[in-house]
Amino acid sequence: MIARLARVAIPAACLALSLAACTDDGPKRSPLPAGPTGAAEASRQPLASPSLPPVVNSDGCQGLIAANQVQQSTGLAVQPSQGDGAAAVAQYGQAVQTLGLNARARMCPFGSPAGDQVTVVALTFGDAAQAQKLWTTIASLEAVGGVGEAALSDKSKTMLSRRGKAIVAVYLVVAAAPDADHLSQLRSLANTALSKA
């Protein structure tokens, strides 16, 4: 369901961007007239920037779970992944709003040079009823125990768990054995994140 929420938000954002690109409410402009050519004119042309714009690096995790906690839970030597985390969590918040719900979203991505990946997403709703409403729409995973008030998992890569007004999703890819049973690692990660969600 959390993945479905992301799929709802991303197309909406793309649609908004494409509409903005297609509309021009500004005054009509005519192209600049062609000027003289030659070395004197070329020297007045601006030079292309030799550097790329800076990489946006923002924190969407906001203290939900730290790299050392992920390492302890999984045994994987991961570090926080770089990127615009704040923008990513905004998409989750917007996605739940399309369902008539409001939640604070946090997303913590981690990775290793070996290709291991861990992503922990927490949605904290205003009340337990909203969390329950979203929870009832999830049907594609098997119920498992030992995590929060309720948990669903494929026992390999994904776990969704709920406690009170929070839902936590854990996505885990262990590069050396991606399809093995990682239920204990998923449980440990989910319990750690639920304690702060």
Side-chain angles (χ1 to χ4, degrees):
M1 179 60 197
I2 303 269
R4 188 181 85 157
L5 291 175
R7 288 193 302 266
V8 169
I10 292 169
C14 292
L15 177 63
L17 288 174
S18 64
L19 289 176
C22 293
T23 60
D24 181 12
D25 295 332
K28 300 295 179 206
R29 295 180 181 91
S30 59
L32 293 173
T37 58
E41 187 63 27
S43 66
R44 288 189 249 166
Q45 298 289 330
L47 296 174
S49 173
S51 62
L52 297 173
V55 174
V56 175
N57 204 7
S58 62
D59 180 20
C61 189
Q62 303 167 21
L64 178 65
I65 192 167
N68 64 338
Q69 293 172 307
V70 173
Q71 291 172 9
Q72 185 177 359
S73 294
T74 63
L76 302 173
V78 297
Q79 293 299 318
S81 297
Q82 304 298 312
D84 193 353
V89 297
Q91 290 183 349
Y92 280 101
Q94 291 166 357
V96 297
Q97 285 177 353
T98 65
L99 300 173
L101 306 171
N102 288 304
R104 173 186 180 209
R106 291 182 278 175
M107 185 177 80
C108 310
F110 301 90
S112 76
D116 303 312
Q117 297 176 18
V118 178
T119 303
V120 180
V121 177
L123 296 174
T124 306
F125 295 87
D127 55 56
Q130 289 188 62
Q132 179 61 31
K133 183 176 179 182
L134 179 61
W135 188 259
T136 59
T137 65
I138 303 167
S140 61
L141 299 171
E142 180 183 340
V144 295
V147 183
E149 295 167 4
L152 303 168
S153 180
D154 65 3
K155 299 181 181 179
S156 177
K157 296 181 178 101
T158 306
M159 175 171 281
L160 299 170
S161 55
R162 180 180 54 80
R163 179 185 296 152
K165 59 184 184 175
I167 294 177
V168 167
V170 176
Y171 304 102
L172 171 68
V173 176
V174 178
D179 297 319
D181 185 333
H182 300 293
L183 184 58
S184 64
Q185 295 163 307
L186 291 164
R187 270 193 188 118
S188 180
L189 286 165
N191 278 321
T192 300
L194 277 172
S195 70
K196 294 185 181 178

Short mmCIF file of all heavy atoms in Angstrom, two decimals, residues 1-14 91 94-99:
data_model
loop_
_atom_site.label_atom_id
_atom_site.label_comp_id
_atom_site.label_asym_id
_atom_site.label_seq_id
_atom_site.Cartn_x
_atom_site.Cartn_y
_atom_site.Cartn_z
N MET A 1 0.83 -1.20 0.00
CA MET A 1 0.00 0.00 0.00
C MET A 1 0.86 1.25 0.00
O MET A 1 0.56 2.21 -0.67
CB MET A 1 -0.91 -0.04 1.24
CG MET A 1 -1.80 1.17 1.36
SD MET A 1 -2.86 1.27 -0.08
CE MET A 1 -3.40 2.93 0.01
N ILE A 2 1.94 1.25 0.81
CA ILE A 2 2.81 2.41 0.84
C ILE A 2 3.41 2.61 -0.55
O ILE A 2 3.51 3.73 -1.04
CB ILE A 2 3.92 2.23 1.89
CG1 ILE A 2 3.31 1.98 3.27
CG2 ILE A 2 4.86 3.39 1.89
CD1 ILE A 2 3.03 3.12 4.13
N ALA A 3 3.79 1.49 -1.20
CA ALA A 3 4.33 1.61 -2.56
C ALA A 3 3.26 2.17 -3.48
O ALA A 3 3.55 2.97 -4.37
CB ALA A 3 4.81 0.25 -3.05
N ARG A 4 1.99 1.76 -3.28
CA ARG A 4 0.90 2.28 -4.11
C ARG A 4 0.72 3.77 -3.87
O ARG A 4 0.47 4.53 -4.80
CB ARG A 4 -0.40 1.55 -3.79
CG ARG A 4 -1.51 1.92 -4.77
CD ARG A 4 -2.75 1.23 -4.42
NE ARG A 4 -3.40 2.05 -3.41
CZ ARG A 4 -4.68 2.02 -3.15
NH1 ARG A 4 -5.45 1.17 -3.76
NH2 ARG A 4 -5.21 2.79 -2.25
N LEU A 5 0.91 4.21 -2.63
CA LEU A 5 0.81 5.64 -2.33
C LEU A 5 1.85 6.44 -3.11
O LEU A 5 1.58 7.50 -3.64
CB LEU A 5 0.98 5.89 -0.83
CG LEU A 5 -0.14 5.38 0.07
CD1 LEU A 5 0.24 5.60 1.52
CD2 LEU A 5 -1.44 6.05 -0.25
N ALA A 6 3.06 5.89 -3.17
CA ALA A 6 4.11 6.57 -3.93
C ALA A 6 3.76 6.63 -5.41
O ALA A 6 4.00 7.62 -6.08
CB ALA A 6 5.45 5.86 -3.74
N ARG A 7 3.14 5.54 -5.93
CA ARG A 7 2.76 5.53 -7.34
C ARG A 7 1.66 6.55 -7.62
O ARG A 7 1.55 7.07 -8.71
CB ARG A 7 2.31 4.14 -7.76
CG ARG A 7 3.45 3.16 -7.87
CD ARG A 7 3.03 1.89 -8.58
NE ARG A 7 1.93 1.21 -7.95
CZ ARG A 7 2.05 0.24 -7.07
NH1 ARG A 7 3.23 -0.16 -6.70
NH2 ARG A 7 0.98 -0.33 -6.55
N VAL A 8 0.81 6.84 -6.62
CA VAL A 8 -0.25 7.84 -6.79
C VAL A 8 0.36 9.24 -6.81
O VAL A 8 0.00 10.07 -7.62
CB VAL A 8 -1.28 7.74 -5.64
CG1 VAL A 8 -2.22 8.92 -5.64
CG2 VAL A 8 -2.05 6.44 -5.76
N ALA A 9 1.32 9.49 -5.90
CA ALA A 9 1.89 10.83 -5.78
C ALA A 9 2.78 11.20 -6.95
O ALA A 9 2.75 12.32 -7.43
CB ALA A 9 2.68 10.94 -4.47
N ILE A 10 3.58 10.25 -7.41
CA ILE A 10 4.55 10.56 -8.47
C ILE A 10 3.86 10.95 -9.77
O ILE A 10 4.20 11.97 -10.37
CB ILE A 10 5.55 9.41 -8.64
CG1 ILE A 10 6.43 9.34 -7.38
CG2 ILE A 10 6.39 9.58 -9.87
CD1 ILE A 10 7.28 8.11 -7.29
N PRO A 11 2.83 10.19 -10.26
CA PRO A 11 2.16 10.64 -11.48
C PRO A 11 1.50 12.01 -11.30
O PRO A 11 1.50 12.81 -12.23
CB PRO A 11 1.12 9.55 -11.75
CG PRO A 11 1.66 8.34 -11.08
CD PRO A 11 2.38 8.86 -9.86
N ALA A 12 0.95 12.29 -10.14
CA ALA A 12 0.32 13.59 -9.91
C ALA A 12 1.35 14.70 -10.01
O ALA A 12 1.10 15.76 -10.60
CB ALA A 12 -0.37 13.62 -8.55
N ALA A 13 2.54 14.47 -9.43
CA ALA A 13 3.60 15.47 -9.50
C ALA A 13 4.06 15.66 -10.95
O ALA A 13 4.29 16.78 -11.40
CB ALA A 13 4.77 15.06 -8.62
N CYS A 14 4.19 14.54 -11.68
CA CYS A 14 4.61 14.63 -13.08
C CYS A 14 3.57 15.38 -13.90
O CYS A 14 3.91 16.19 -14.77
CB CYS A 14 4.83 13.25 -13.67
SG CYS A 14 6.25 12.40 -12.95
N GLN A 91 6.02 13.55 -0.92
CA GLN A 91 5.17 12.77 -1.82
C GLN A 91 4.32 11.76 -1.05
O GLN A 91 3.16 11.54 -1.38
CB GLN A 91 6.02 12.04 -2.86
CG GLN A 91 6.62 13.00 -3.87
CD GLN A 91 7.40 12.29 -4.94
OE1 GLN A 91 7.67 11.09 -4.85
NE2 GLN A 91 7.75 13.00 -5.98
N GLN A 94 1.49 13.74 0.56
CA GLN A 94 0.48 14.11 -0.44
C GLN A 94 -0.34 12.90 -0.87
O GLN A 94 -1.54 13.00 -1.11
CB GLN A 94 1.16 14.76 -1.64
CG GLN A 94 1.75 16.12 -1.33
CD GLN A 94 2.69 16.60 -2.42
OE1 GLN A 94 2.97 15.91 -3.39
NE2 GLN A 94 3.22 17.81 -2.25
N ALA A 95 0.28 11.74 -0.95
CA ALA A 95 -0.43 10.53 -1.36
C ALA A 95 -1.50 10.15 -0.35
O ALA A 95 -2.61 9.79 -0.74
CB ALA A 95 0.55 9.38 -1.56
N VAL A 96 -1.20 10.22 0.95
CA VAL A 96 -2.24 9.86 1.93
C VAL A 96 -3.34 10.91 1.95
O VAL A 96 -4.49 10.59 2.24
CB VAL A 96 -1.67 9.62 3.35
CG1 VAL A 96 -0.74 8.44 3.36
CG2 VAL A 96 -1.03 10.85 3.94
N GLN A 97 -3.01 12.15 1.60
CA GLN A 97 -4.05 13.19 1.53
C GLN A 97 -5.05 12.87 0.44
O GLN A 97 -6.23 13.19 0.57
CB GLN A 97 -3.42 14.57 1.31
CG GLN A 97 -2.77 15.12 2.55
CD GLN A 97 -2.08 16.46 2.30
OE1 GLN A 97 -1.98 16.93 1.18
NE2 GLN A 97 -1.62 17.08 3.37
N THR A 98 -4.62 12.23 -0.64
CA THR A 98 -5.55 11.86 -1.71
C THR A 98 -6.56 10.81 -1.22
O THR A 98 -7.60 10.63 -1.83
CB THR A 98 -4.82 11.31 -2.96
OG1 THR A 98 -4.16 10.09 -2.62
CG2 THR A 98 -3.84 12.33 -3.52
N LEU A 99 -6.23 10.15 -0.11
CA LEU A 99 -7.15 9.17 0.48
C LEU A 99 -7.98 9.80 1.60
O LEU A 99 -8.70 9.11 2.30
CB LEU A 99 -6.35 7.99 1.05
CG LEU A 99 -5.50 7.21 0.06
CD1 LEU A 99 -4.64 6.19 0.78
CD2 LEU A 99 -6.38 6.53 -0.98
#
